[in-house]
Amino acid sequence: MELSITFYIAALLAAVLIVAFVAVRPRSSRSDTLPGPAGLPLIGNLHQIRLKYYHVDIANWAKQYGPNFEFSLLNNRCVAVSDPEISKKILWNRPNGFSRPKTVTTAFEKYGALGVFSFEGEQWKRHRRLISPAFSKVAISKMHHAIEIPLERLMRKLQSAVDSAPGKTLILQDPRSEMASFTLDVIMYLAMGYDLNSLANAAGELPEPLNDAFNHMSTDLIR
């Protein structure tokens, strides 16, 4: 009798879970036109994405499925676009047609960095008008020197890595540290006229407080 009761309870729980899954899953979770990796119920493709190397996983999917594909994370449909023309149309059609995920605003707000890179809607439009002159062709032409020096250092560092492994393909498993150093060097040069040269760090690491901030923000952005 105990076995029968246990069996019926288990069967009832299984039935409830199945009904709950059918009720909450999106009715159009997959597109009929876009390719993409097959996922699992509820979690989608979450198990196939490595948090630290998510850019590598998505790049590999692009090689397999083409420049535009879709995947799912916890029943949230995600569309990856690497076609330049489509990307240009998306950028031109924001913030009305397309907007950043809410996680962007949440992450920037958490670190007190709200501004044009996190705002949407009317707030974004107002801030964009304020900073647009700083990104005009004339203004950008004056930035070349500040960008050129860190860029040359970055290229030399990458070339050195290639030369150290002749005949092998260079794969940056974690390019965030190099790109963060490059970005920081450019900002410091433009904002303060100071040549920080964080790219000279052999380990490719930022000062610990900055490194922690970049890592935490990167994690918050993709949650």
Side-chain angles (χ1 to χ4, degrees):
M1 176 64 87
E2 291 182 1
L3 179 61
S4 299
I5 293 176
T6 302
F7 172 78
Y8 283 120
I9 291 175
L12 179 61
L13 288 174
V16 170
L17 288 174
I18 292 172
V19 171
F21 166 67
V22 172
V24 302
R25 69 175 178 177
R27 297 190 179 277
S28 58
S29 58
R30 295 289 300 184
S31 168
D32 294 331
T33 57
L34 286 176
L40 296 176
L42 297 179
I43 67 170
N45 304 103
L46 186 63
H47 63 298
Q48 298 170 304
I49 294 234
R50 297 167 294 174
L51 183 59
K52 192 173 182 180
Y53 305 129
Y54 64 90
H55 56 283
V56 176
D57 297 327
I58 293 176
N60 288 336
W61 281 340
K63 293 177 182 177
Q64 182 177 355
Y65 298 106
N68 309 311
F69 62 93
E70 67 173 298
F71 56 98
S72 174
L73 298 177
L74 298 175
N75 272 346
N76 292 311
R77 183 187 175 204
C78 304
V79 176
V81 176
S82 55
D83 182 291
E85 290 303 316
I86 295 179
S87 299
K88 188 184 298 184
K89 290 179 181 178
I90 291 174
L91 291 174
W92 274 107
N93 195 22
R94 65 172 313 278
N96 297 324
F98 297 90
S99 61
R100 301 184 185 94
K102 292 181 180 179
T103 52
V104 173
T105 301
T106 302
F108 275 79
E109 186 176 26
K110 179 179 178 180
Y111 297 98
L114 288 175
V116 70
F117 297 109
S118 60
F119 285 142
E120 287 296 334
E122 292 302 318
Q123 281 185 309
W124 177 82
K125 290 180 181 178
R126 289 197 298 271
H127 280 75
R128 185 179 185 276
R129 282 195 294 268
L130 290 173
I131 70 164
S132 288
F135 292 93
S136 66
K137 290 184 178 179
V138 175
I140 291 177
S141 66
K142 297 178 181 179
M143 300 179 187
H144 285 176
H145 181 65
I147 298 173
E148 185 178 19
I149 294 174
L151 183 59
E152 287 179 350
R153 290 171 179 163
L154 177 61
M155 295 302 293
R156 285 199 300 269
K157 195 168 187 177
L158 295 178
Q159 187 61 52
S160 177
V162 172
D163 294 340
S164 65
K168 296 182 180 180
T169 301
L170 176 63
I171 299 177
L172 294 178
Q173 292 294 334
D174 188 9
R176 289 180 299 177
S177 59
E178 305 295 349
M179 295 308 299
S181 294
F182 168 73
T183 303
L184 180 62
D185 287 349
V186 171
I187 291 174
M188 288 294 289
Y189 203 102
L190 287 173
M192 301 182 182
Y194 179 70
D195 186 9
L196 181 63
N197 194 14
S198 62
L199 280 165
N201 189 327
E205 296 178 354
L206 292 170
E208 188 173 349
L210 289 172
N211 191 48
D212 289 343
F214 272 110
N215 287 335
H216 288 310
M217 183 170 284
S218 297
T219 302
D220 289 342
L221 287 174
I222 63 173
R223 279 179 178 173

